[in-house]
Amino acid sequence: RNVVLLTLINDRPFSKDDVKSHNIWNLFYHMLISNNDLVTLREHTGKLLIASETLQTWLESSYGDYLQFTNEATLAELRHHWSQYVSVDVSPKSKIDVSVRDGMSKRVKEIGTSNFAHGLRSAGFLWLSGLEVLSHTYRSYWKTGVAGGNTADCTKLGQKSHVNPMFAVSSSPLGEFAVHYGSDPLLGFHLTETFRRLYHCGEKDSLAAQSDRLVEAAKTQFTDWCHAFSALVRSRRACVQLFSGEAVALCHQLQLGTGDASFYTKPWKLQPLRLDGHAGQIASRWPFSDRFDVIDTSNLGDHVGLINMIVATAPLLRTQATSILCTESLLAASDDPTSSLSAVLGTDIVTFSLFIGLAPTGLLAGTTLEAVSNEAGLRSISSPVGIQKQSQYRLRIHWKSPYVQSSPAWPVSSDKEKTLKQVSVDADGLAAWLFGIYKKMFAKEDLSTLFSGLQSMQNKHYSTDMQRYTRAAIVALIRVLKTTVLTDWDRVMTTFLDMVESDRTLLVGSNSLQELNMHLALFGVWTLPVLAQGPRRIQKTFNLQLRPGSDVEGVLGRPDPPPIVHIILSVPRKSLEVFTSGPGKISSTPGVHVSVKQQSGDQQYENCFHTFHCYFGRAFQGGIDGGPDQFEEDDKGWLGSSDLVIMCPVPTFGLLTGPRSSLRICLALNTTPENMGLYTQKLGPLLTVFETAMDNRRRVSICEHPAFMNTENSIASQQKWLQLHTIRTEAMTTATAMLDANHRAKKLAIRVVFIQGSEEAKALASGTSVSVAPASSSMVILQLGDAWSRRLVFPFPVQPSNSKTRIARKSCWIEVEAPIYVANQPDPFDMWTLVHSQPDGSLSLGSIPRVNLDVQPPISSPAKKDQGWLSLLMGGTLSETEKYLKDHDHDLSTHPKIDLKDSLNIIIQSVAGFHPKEAKGRPVQIFQLTLSRNQSCHTLIFVSGLHHDLDLGSVVLDAWVLPLTIERVQKLAHGLQGLLSAKPPPVGVLLSDRESTLWKRLLPALAERCRTWNHKASCEYRTKGQVPLSTDEDQSPLCCCGEGKVTSSFTEVKQWAPFAQYVTRVAIAPVFPVPYMESLMRFPDPKVSTAPEPKVSTGRTLQKQECDNCKASSGQLLACGGCSKVRYCSKECQKVAWRAHKIVCKK
């Protein structure tokens, strides 16, 4: 579908009004199309088939410059679909026609007359206005097969419609109609301005008329997108590499490069993942790491597990300030969004981020410009009349290197000032932390809490269902940690494995110990002696009771069999009928595992293996050692009649223990409440799908390697990757993480060791003074006397003002220890405003995203009755804690971020004409940032217009800022006097000293956010080595590079002309709290008469028996001595929380 779209767009130039774009719209979005549309599709896919006969013919075609394929398997699969588009029978009453129309009718009945909230995200901050009409467009789409059921397209389509082959043909296992039940073309478009005009600037039309206008707006955006993509292709600025397969496997293969395949392309298919296509030339520059500036994973983490997704992608991301990993989730992880991220990670966010080397920007910034209050509003929708409550929660997280995100603009480095971006940690503490994640991943193997999963099912917190993880997942995590964490890894692994083996809670999990050890070897992470060599070699050393070689056949009968082999199990098709409730339908997709059982009286055991590959087809015997030498796939898959062939790696010694005649191999369902409820009657209490004897040569065979792969080569590739990326300590100053009793990182320490006999060592021994001065949120200056200093850069933000220094004058070392910083703690550097430098001298933003002001739709001057939407949007900028502090703590110098949000609210409401009263509804365009202590104005803001910020679901001001210095005030005296006569007059925004400093730090970021010009070589940021240049009252925080770069929106106001050469463009927007860091203000529930008073701590919603600061629930929790209503896990947490808690303590 995507290739059809992108190639149709560029087949010939078109204008924005060309009907061709609407023809493409029909094909891409409509389930039912006209005969002309069908002819267009088949003619075009016929062209694609001719162009794609080989990879080379495609590259030589008109499409090869901008569309390429990662491997041959992808091209082959696309050709399979295209050929079906050409040949599938969609005539009336055909099998496909009946299937699609029946599927649509079924969904229409399921929808009924209910209203659905999932489409409201396209309405942005006007979600409250769109419920009825977007529910109507959704129902109409499934009823008519046309976007929104719009009148124009339905009329053109008439009664003679055809099923769209691009909706009828699918890769679903049974080939049935498989369009997702939530599909709606309007979900992909920004319709906020259309809603504003529909509901706030005129009379409300009928639902059908409103739907028509929404579809027309979406078509306009679609046409603009097509035009923009076509222009990119013509200018050779776009190239799309396509891959069809399993995303996590692709990422792991990219890490290893283009050598032998170590993974299969996708489940159920017998295709090794080889990078043998056009992308192979790029990936051949092995090692394929540090290659990507941006990795966007959409919401794949919901389906494959967030840890799996991060572990697969993090090694492929460049370590630069601009590099970013984007993850997204739609499934609510908990009732409280503040605990959602830690819930899916299985640990606290700080420690995970520190160890993995990537941190959510919100963890460090504590703010976001994304209008997260929109999502909070969707969750709040509750009514007894026909509204389905929003069960999803969309959470977008941007992950960046915490090292570069918190570093200063121009850090000075030299050979003597080496820094380490990784962190070291005590081996026992790291092992205990890993074991904690291990227990969270496999919590459902704890029989004592097995049925607690039913509660999770009722609450629909599917994102915390850790059954997405196998032992290979925890090993993949350890593999990445070996490249980011410096420690005694031998001790980590022995301690971790001892904990796993000694654990008595995961009783079911004890059957997976062999699988865990095997994957440690397969990933090259850690190899037990019993897996380092063949079992025969170490038989005597470890007193293994193995069967003699004369009693064993095939690869197991070799004098020196390999340590790992593969079981090839052929499961009869009849055994799989339990998963189908009838032809063409699968009742569920339960988790399964392969089990190896030894049933001999004195040697009984069971080993379970959850990571294997399967396909429908046959494995032919006759290879070396009697194993299969040919593998044949049945392309019909579930629709065919072939057996299911399973290829499962297992340690060899387990197959040589005990009598061969009592060995059993079986395929069974995982023991979960869901599987037990659905399948116990059919499969029995052990949930066995199929079981057979090891001696059953028809069903079981053993081979050294899986089909088309080589185990030894795969292990060698993994070991080579680790050797290249493992940390080495030569000449490095290490930062050590200090873990608390709950194995959470709380502090970082850097120790500087001086060489005995050096000048520094002599000075230290002689009693020379030592001082430490904060330089940034991740840097301190260590000073030894007057002659020697060193910049100590931590790999994670800290609280340098709370650092401690340890000095060993005889042993010649100095250690600086500082608490780790996270958002919502005191931040003297306002880290969320930071701007970073790039190697080429350019600047980049930390947590504040860029915006192109020239393409954001303007918001025309709202009418008075239009005020509601803006009040709702701006009302969501405060968290529960901030709202409480604002109402109860009136010290203006205490909370600069809260004061800033209030100032932004005043400015934006005034621009919209809703404030102040003196403006009489007219938009205010000029603002004075004025210090309240002396009534002096140090900055002027000129606002050209109010715009939508479509991606963030918010608003943004196109503004121009003029910092006032003494010199400038003198030059501009006449022009400044003229501003006093402006109608309406300028609005003064009173600032405390701390808020004034925050504004000065923020302005450079707001300028960078919308910058369209380049910094000069003589830029003051570079020459002075700091951003902002100054936070002083009479000094400018901005460089001069952007001054005078005005647009027509500024020059058309004649009264502003005197200031044109001095102003710099900025993008000013509301600032919101981060939902996974602190509780948002709750929207009132109509069924509740009064809103509950927020519970104040560090911004999180309090829960019983949890630490009020870090939310830890394990260990001893001590009650606050003042009120006894909150608890803390340590004195450190109590101290951190006291600033906020003191307000409510004893009340």
Side-chain angles (χ1 to χ4, degrees):
R1 278 171 46 82
N2 288 338
V3 176
V4 168
L5 169 68
L6 299 179
T7 51
L8 268 173
I9 290 173
N10 289 283
D11 250 10
R12 61 182 175 85
F14 67 96
S15 67
K16 288 190 176 183
D17 298 325
D18 198 321
V19 294
K20 174 176 176 284
S21 64
H22 296 291
N23 184 246
I24 299 174
W25 167 276
N26 297 343
L27 290 175
F28 199 65
Y29 286 115
H30 290 178
M31 287 188 272
L32 302 180
I33 57 177
S34 67
N35 187 66
N36 288 338
D37 294 333
L38 182 62
V39 170
T40 299
L41 174 64
R42 288 183 163 167
E43 287 180 352
H44 186 70
T45 49
K47 290 174 58 179
L48 295 179
L49 285 170
I50 295 173
S52 62
E53 289 184 355
T54 66
L55 285 169
Q56 187 60 35
T57 58
W58 179 268
L59 200 60
E60 294 171 353
S61 72
S62 59
Y63 313 120
D65 284 341
Y66 66 95
L67 282 175
Q68 298 175 3
F69 304 101
T70 304
N71 55 6
E72 290 187 356
T74 295
L75 180 60
E77 182 162 359
L78 291 177
R79 285 177 55 81
H80 172 69
H81 278 75
W82 293 337
S83 63
Q84 289 183 287
Y85 293 167
V86 171
S87 61
V88 67
D89 182 7
V90 292
S91 60
K93 306 301 180 181
S94 65
K95 182 178 179 180
I96 290 292
D97 181 81
V98 172
S99 173
V100 172
R101 294 182 189 271
D102 284 351
M104 292 170 58
S105 298
K106 180 182 177 181
R107 184 57 187 153
V108 170
K109 292 178 181 178
E110 292 171 347
I111 296 170
T113 58
S114 298
N115 287 329
F116 286 79
H118 82 291
L120 295 183
R121 294 186 182 96
S122 61
F125 52 75
L126 291 177
W127 54 269
L128 196 58
S129 304
L131 181 63
E132 189 177 13
V133 65
L134 282 173
S135 296
H136 171 79
T137 60
Y138 173 62
R139 286 192 297 268
S140 300
Y141 177 59
W142 282 91
K143 183 178 180 179
T144 65
V146 170
N150 73 89
T151 306
D153 287 339
C154 285
T155 302
K156 291 178 182 177
L157 189 61
Q159 298 297 317
K160 296 182 180 180
S161 61
H162 296 277
V163 166
N164 189 341
M166 294 205 296
F167 284 81
V169 175
S170 76
S171 57
S172 60
L174 297 181
E176 71 274 23
F177 176 67
V179 177
H180 191 274
Y181 62 84
S183 296
D184 183 351
L186 299 188
L187 289 177
F189 297 93
H190 301 289
L191 303 175
T192 313
E193 178 61 12
T194 306
F195 272 106
R196 200 184 69 82
R197 292 174 180 173
L198 281 173
Y199 288 94
H200 299 274
C201 300
E203 293 299 322
K204 194 172 180 180
D205 293 326
S206 66
L207 285 177
Q210 293 175 52
S211 180
D212 288 350
R213 292 181 64 177
L214 291 174
V215 173
E216 190 59 35
K219 285 185 176 181
T220 300
Q221 292 181 30
F222 179 77
T223 302
D224 290 344
W225 190 93
C226 292
H227 189 76
F229 182 77
S230 180
L232 281 175
V233 170
R234 290 196 303 272
S235 62
R236 295 182 176 271
R237 294 169 56 202
C239 183
V240 181
Q241 294 278 356
L242 294 157
F243 171 73
S244 176
E246 211 281 310
V248 174
L250 173 65
C251 291
H252 280 289
Q253 190 66 56
L254 285 173
Q255 292 178 31
L256 300 179
T258 57
D260 293 339
S262 297
F263 305 90
Y264 289 97
T265 299
K266 60 176 64 175
W268 310 103
K269 289 291 185 179
L270 193 59
Q271 292 175 335
L273 204 170
R274 295 193 175 98
L275 305 178
D276 54 8
H278 303 128
Q281 300 173 0
I282 302 173
S284 63
R285 298 198 296 266
W286 193 84
F288 196 79
S289 60
D290 292 335
R291 296 294 185 192
F292 293 102
D293 296 293
V294 179
I295 301 176
D296 191 337
T297 68
S298 185
N299 71 320
L300 281 175
D302 283 341
H303 305 282
V304 303
L306 182 60
I307 296 178
N308 284 335
M309 204 70 249
I310 293 175
V311 164
T313 54
L316 298 174
L317 192 68
R318 289 181 177 175
T319 308
Q320 295 181 355
T322 52
S323 300
I324 187 169
L325 169 64
C326 305
T327 63
E328 186 172 338
S329 63
L330 291 175
L331 300 180
S334 68
D335 292 325
D336 181 8
T338 60
S339 60
S340 58
L341 183 53
S342 58
V344 294
L345 292 176
T347 183
D348 69 293
I349 309 172
V350 173
T351 309
F352 183 88
S353 301
L354 176 65
F355 289 165
I356 207 73
L358 290 175
T361 56
L363 174 68
L364 309 179
T367 60
T368 177
L369 299 192
E370 183 177 3
V372 293
S373 58
N374 298 343
E375 198 68 27
L378 294 181
R379 281 175 61 88
S380 73
I381 293 177
S382 177
S383 173
V385 184
I387 300 178
Q388 290 195 356
K389 183 158 185 175
Q390 172 70 278
S391 60
Q392 296 181 341
Y393 189 83
R394 183 173 183 244
L395 187 64
R396 293 201 298 180
I397 300 176
H398 294 166
W399 302 75
K400 287 189 174 185
S401 166
Y403 171 80
V404 297
Q405 188 177 348
S406 58
S407 57
W410 265 281
V412 180
S413 62
S414 67
D415 292 339
K416 294 183 179 180
E417 295 176 345
K418 293 184 179 295
T419 59
L420 179 64
K421 298 176 184 179
Q422 293 86 357
V423 66
S424 66
V425 67
D426 171 70
D428 291 343
L430 180 59
W433 179 78
L434 282 170
F435 182 60
I437 292 184
Y438 177 88
K439 292 187 71 173
K440 287 288 182 65
M441 279 185 171
F442 309 113
K444 287 207 172 183
E445 297 174 359
D446 183 350
L447 291 178
S448 64
T449 59
L450 183 62
F451 291 95
S452 65
L454 293 173
Q455 181 66 32
S456 175
M457 292 173 61
Q458 293 169 0
N459 293 337
K460 297 185 179 181
H461 295 157
Y462 300 125
S463 58
T464 56
D465 184 354
M466 295 295 186
Q467 290 188 85
R468 295 169 178 78
Y469 299 109
T470 67
R471 266 59 186 183
I474 189 70
V475 172
L477 173 61
I478 296 172
R479 170 182 176 268
V480 172
L481 293 180
K482 288 193 74 172
T483 70
T484 59
V485 177
L486 183 64
T487 189
D488 181 351
W489 275 101
D490 287 345
R491 184 173 177 86
V492 170
M493 295 312 304
T494 54
T495 304
F496 170 69
L497 292 175
D498 285 345
M499 290 177 172
V500 172
E501 292 175 12
S502 303
D503 179 58
R504 293 296 177 265
T505 58
L506 305 183
L507 294 179
V508 178
S510 62
N511 295 336
S512 297
L513 289 175
Q514 282 200 21
E515 183 183 31
L516 174 62
N517 288 311
M518 177 189 69
H519 283 298
L520 287 170
L522 289 174
F523 276 90
V525 172
W526 172 262
T527 306
L528 289 174
V530 73
L531 292 175
Q533 305 177 55
R536 300 290 183 193
R537 294 190 189 183
I538 57 175
Q539 182 173 357
K540 292 182 179 180
T541 305
F542 291 91
N543 194 27
L544 298 177
Q545 302 298 317
L546 303 180
R547 293 192 302 278
S550 58
D551 190 36
V552 186
E553 298 178 346
V555 65
L556 299 180
R558 293 182 190 173
D560 185 18
I564 297 173
V565 294
H566 286 75
I567 294 175
I568 310 299
L569 175 65
S570 181
V571 179
R573 170 70 67 149
K574 188 172 181 61
S575 297
L576 303 178
E577 291 178 359
V578 67
F579 301 121
T580 57
S581 57
K585 185 175 182 181
I586 294 179
S587 59
S588 65
T589 54
V592 295
H593 63 271
V594 171
S595 177
V596 178
K597 302 178 181 179
Q598 176 55 263
Q599 297 183 330
S600 175
D602 59 342
Q603 291 183 314
Q604 292 188 13
Y605 64 80
E606 179 180 8
N607 291 313
C608 300
F609 301 89
H610 299 76
T611 304
F612 53 85
H613 192 75
C614 56
Y615 67 96
F616 287 100
R618 291 190 295 173
F620 297 92
Q621 305 289 341
I624 300 175
D625 301 318
D629 63 343
Q630 294 183 41
F631 300 86
E632 181 182 273
E633 181 181 356
D634 182 354
D635 291 333
K636 293 183 180 179
W638 281 94
L639 292 175
S641 58
S642 298
D643 293 340
L644 180 67
V645 179
I646 292 174
M647 300 178 291
C648 179
V650 298
T652 304
F653 69 83
L655 300 180
L656 295 174
T657 304
R660 178 184 176 95
S661 58
S662 57
L663 268 176
R664 308 284 293 179
I665 311 297
C666 77
L667 178 69
L669 301 188
N670 297 342
T671 305
T672 66
E674 301 93 325
N675 289 345
M676 294 176 69
L678 287 172
Y679 296 104
T680 297
Q681 269 193 325
K682 298 178 181 179
L683 300 177
L686 299 181
L687 301 178
T688 302
V689 178
F690 174 71
E691 181 173 339
T692 187
M694 175 92 164
D695 282 334
N696 186 345
R697 296 185 179 181
R698 183 185 174 199
R699 293 294 176 187
V700 180
S701 58
I702 307 296
C703 62
E704 183 174 1
H705 307 292
F708 311 123
M709 291 189 190
N710 185 292
T711 304
E712 292 178 356
N713 290 346
S714 296
I715 294 175
S717 296
Q718 294 284 3
Q719 291 173 336
K720 186 177 180 181
W721 184 87
L722 275 170
Q723 289 171 1
L724 281 172
H725 294 84
T726 298
I727 304 169
R728 292 170 175 81
T729 60
E730 294 85 353
M732 285 184 174
T733 302
T734 61
T736 302
M738 299 180 177
L739 310 183
D740 65 8
N742 294 312
H743 318 298
R744 301 187 306 265
K746 290 294 185 180
K747 300 176 182 178
L748 288 173
I750 294 180
R751 177 174 293 188
V752 180
V753 181
F754 301 103
I755 300 174
Q756 290 284 353
S758 65
E759 292 299 320
E760 293 86 357
K762 292 177 182 178
L764 188 64
S766 65
T768 302
S769 63
V770 176
S771 63
V772 174
S776 75
S777 55
S778 63
M779 181 189 295
V780 297
I781 307 297
L782 176 61
Q783 189 78 31
L784 178 59
D786 297 326
W788 184 93
S789 67
R790 176 177 293 185
R791 295 170 183 256
L792 303 183
V793 182
F794 293 87
F796 204 87
V798 295
Q799 302 174 50
S801 58
N802 295 329
S803 63
K804 297 180 181 178
T805 305
R806 297 184 180 90
I807 304 172
R809 297 188 182 274
K810 291 183 179 180
S811 300
C812 300
W813 56 260
I814 302 173
E815 185 176 85
V816 179
E817 174 191 295
I820 291 176
Y821 168 83
V822 294
N824 306 326
Q825 294 175 342
D827 179 14
F829 297 98
D830 296 316
M831 194 168 61
W832 65 282
T833 67
L834 282 183
V835 176
H836 311 282
S837 67
Q838 297 301 298
D840 61 359
S842 62
L843 294 178
S844 67
L845 293 163
S847 62
I848 296 178
R850 282 186 54 82
V851 63
N852 186 346
L853 290 174
D854 296 326
V855 300
Q856 300 300 321
I859 300 175
S860 56
S861 299
K864 189 65 178 177
K865 63 180 181 179
D866 198 15
Q867 185 174 1
W869 64 266
L870 188 56
S871 298
L872 186 66
L873 175 69
M874 300 305 297
T877 58
L878 294 179
S879 67
E880 281 191 348
T881 298
E882 289 174 327
K883 179 64 167 64
Y884 189 87
L885 292 175
K886 180 176 182 292
D887 292 342
H888 294 80
D889 189 347
H890 302 291
D891 183 356
L892 289 178
S893 65
T894 304
H895 310 292
K897 192 186 295 185
I898 298 176
D899 298 337
L900 173 73
K901 291 183 178 183
D902 274 348
S903 298
L904 290 171
N905 183 36
I906 291 172
I907 293 173
I908 294 173
Q909 294 273 11
S910 300
V911 170
F914 302 143
H915 181 87
K917 292 182 179 180
E918 293 77 12
K920 298 180 180 180
R922 292 173 297 180
V924 177
Q925 291 185 288
I926 308 172
F927 299 88
Q928 302 169 328
L929 300 186
T930 303
L931 280 171
S932 58
R933 61 174 167 81
N934 59 12
Q935 298 297 304
S936 66
C937 169
H938 61 61
T939 304
L940 287 177
I941 298 175
F942 303 85
V943 179
S944 300
L946 177 65
H947 294 258
H948 291 279
D949 193 334
L950 295 178
D951 182 57
L952 302 180
S954 184
V955 297
V956 60
L957 298 180
D958 186 0
W960 310 84
V961 64
L962 174 62
L964 295 177
T965 62
I966 295 176
E967 181 182 359
R968 282 187 178 174
V969 170
Q970 294 172 346
K971 288 183 178 180
L972 298 171
H974 182 71
L976 293 172
Q977 188 67 28
L979 292 181
L980 298 177
S981 60
K983 299 295 183 181
V987 169
V989 181
L990 295 179
L991 313 177
S992 66
D993 284 357
R994 291 185 63 187
E995 186 190 354
S996 174
T997 298
L998 180 54
W999 270 101
K1000 295 270 187 175
R1001 288 175 172 167
L1002 180 60
L1003 286 176
L1006 299 184
E1008 287 297 314
R1009 189 180 180 221
C1010 60
R1011 176 171 60 83
T1012 57
W1013 37 266
N1014 294 321
H1015 284 278
K1016 304 172 185 175
S1018 59
C1019 175
E1020 296 93 331
Y1021 291 156
R1022 174 184 290 275
T1023 56
K1024 291 189 176 182
Q1026 63 183 38
V1027 181
L1029 296 178
S1030 174
T1031 59
D1032 292 342
E1033 171 186 350
D1034 58 350
Q1035 298 294 317
S1036 173
L1038 301 170
C1039 69
C1040 297
C1041 303
E1043 290 183 356
K1045 307 293 193 300
V1046 295
T1047 64
S1048 59
S1049 63
F1050 187 91
T1051 56
E1052 65 187 14
V1053 183
K1054 295 182 179 180
Q1055 203 172 22
W1056 296 356
F1059 312 103
Q1061 61 178 312
Y1062 300 106
V1063 295
T1064 301
R1065 196 180 196 184
V1066 292
I1068 300 175
V1071 177
F1072 297 87
V1074 177
Y1076 54 86
M1077 291 302 299
E1078 54 183 334
S1079 299
L1080 308 183
M1081 282 182 58
R1082 296 192 180 108
F1083 286 79
D1085 191 322
K1087 295 183 292 185
V1088 180
S1089 58
T1090 58
E1093 183 178 73
K1095 302 171 183 177
V1096 179
S1097 62
T1098 55
R1100 302 187 180 105
T1101 300
L1102 304 182
Q1103 298 178 2
K1104 292 183 179 179
Q1105 299 302 314
E1106 289 184 344
C1107 176
D1108 185 29
N1109 180 53
C1110 67
K1111 298 194 73 178
S1113 57
S1114 58
Q1116 185 177 11
L1117 300 177
L1118 301 178
C1120 169
C1123 64
S1124 300
K1125 293 184 179 179
V1126 296
R1127 297 175 179 271
Y1128 301 99
C1129 64
S1130 64
K1131 290 183 178 180
E1132 290 79 6
C1133 277
Q1134 185 179 23
K1135 289 180 181 179
V1136 170
W1138 176 243
R1139 180 178 178 183
H1141 178 60
K1142 66 181 180 182
I1143 301 169
V1144 294
C1145 189
K1146 296 185 180 180
K1147 287 189 179 181

